Amino acid sequence: MLNSSDIKEVLLSEEEIKEIVKRLGEQITKDYEGKNLLVVSILKGSIMIMADLLREIKLDCKIDFMAVSSYGSGTRTSGSVKIIKDLSIDLSGYDILLVEDILDSGVTLSNLKELLMLRKPASLKICAFLDKPDRRKADIVADYTGASIPDEFVVGYGLDYDEKYRNLPYVGILSPSVYGEN
Ligand code: IMP
Ligand code: MG
């Protein structure tokens, strides 16, 4: 059973998430009219926002999936990403929309963006469901942001702690007791 005391506070309820996703979908639908849209989900954290957002994008599009991990400490602003699972579609000619769960230091996404630009897409934009602007180390901004949140460790709606909590339908602040602080 899920221990509800693991969550200190609900940050975004299911209803709030629905509103956010609807707004993002409307904006993206407007912006990508007439384009060659390929929506790319960065696994695993973006599965929920990906599935919900796609239903709010009222355009023809294709989808693909990619899994990456950052090399090194994660505090560096340069370096590269390790590809765990690559895309199956050749990016040339596509207008890519990268869908990510959360933009934190930004190291992963800025490195990934650099790597994908080498594949010559027609364009590449980023949609981050959550953004922690206070934590930014790399020079990167999301083109679409669901919600800006304070510098707290959050889980749910795809986001994990030690691979757990991804299935929560809301976003909650993880109780520090879970990771050994009180
Ligand atoms: P960064 O932007 O390169 O620092 O890394 C972003 C990644 O770190 C995200 O895709 C998440 O997997 C993870 N992450 C960052 N902040 C959180 C959080 O508050 N909860 C869960 N995962 C997080
Ligand atoms: Mg992630």
Side-chain angles (χ1 to χ4, degrees):
M1 276 276 275
L2 181 81
N3 188 348
S4 61
S5 68
D6 287 2
I7 305 301
K8 190 169 85 175
E9 183 190 326
V10 173
L11 204 58
L12 297 171
S13 68
E14 287 187 68
E15 290 68 30
E16 288 169 317
I17 292 172
K18 241 185 213 141
E19 283 304 306
I20 289 168
V21 176
K22 200 160 175 273
R23 172 178 55 79
L24 289 173
E26 279 170 7
Q27 190 63 52
I28 290 164
T29 300
K30 260 190 215 143
D31 294 354
Y32 282 86
E33 174 81 65
K35 305 242 180 182
N36 195 14
L37 177 58
L38 174 64
V39 188
V40 171
S41 161
I42 310 302
L43 297 171
K44 305 174 194 170
S46 70
I47 53 156
M48 300 286 194
I49 177 67
M50 178 73 169
D52 287 344
L53 183 61
L54 284 172
R55 279 174 276 203
E56 298 293 339
I57 297 177
K58 315 291 184 191
L59 296 169
D60 283 333
C61 67
K62 296 183 183 176
I63 68 170
D64 206 348
F65 297 86
M66 189 167 193
V68 296
S69 75
S70 285
Y71 281 121
S73 65
T75 55
R76 298 180 310 170
T77 53
S78 63
S80 57
V81 284
K82 182 176 166 191
I83 297 175
I84 313 282
K85 184 221 169 290
D86 208 341
L87 300 167
S88 61
I89 296 177
D90 177 354
L91 297 190
S92 60
Y94 283 106
D95 294 293
I96 311 300
L97 183 64
L98 281 184
V99 178
E100 180 57 304
D101 54 358
I102 186 166
L103 191 49
D104 185 32
S105 73
V107 172
T108 315
L109 266 185
S110 68
N111 288 336
L112 180 60
K113 189 173 175 184
E114 211 170 286
L115 182 140
L116 294 180
M117 287 308 287
L118 297 173
R119 301 183 185 181
K120 307 262 184 275
S123 68
L124 192 157
K125 284 188 180 183
I126 292 170
C127 174
F129 172 57
L130 300 177
D131 187 8
K132 282 189 202 168
D134 296 347
R135 299 254 309 162
R136 196 76 83 258
K137 297 206 167 67
D139 180 23
I140 190 158
V141 286
D143 301 279
Y144 305 94
T145 303
S148 284
I149 63 166
D151 182 10
E152 301 265 15
F153 197 84
V154 294
V155 294
Y157 197 66
L159 291 123
D160 74 306
Y161 171 69
D162 199 17
E163 295 298 331
K164 271 176 69 184
Y165 309 106
R166 293 194 197 273
N167 58 326
L168 295 179
Y170 56 85
V171 173
I173 298 174
L174 190 65
S175 172
S177 62
V178 175
Y179 45 88
E181 291 169 30
N182 285 308

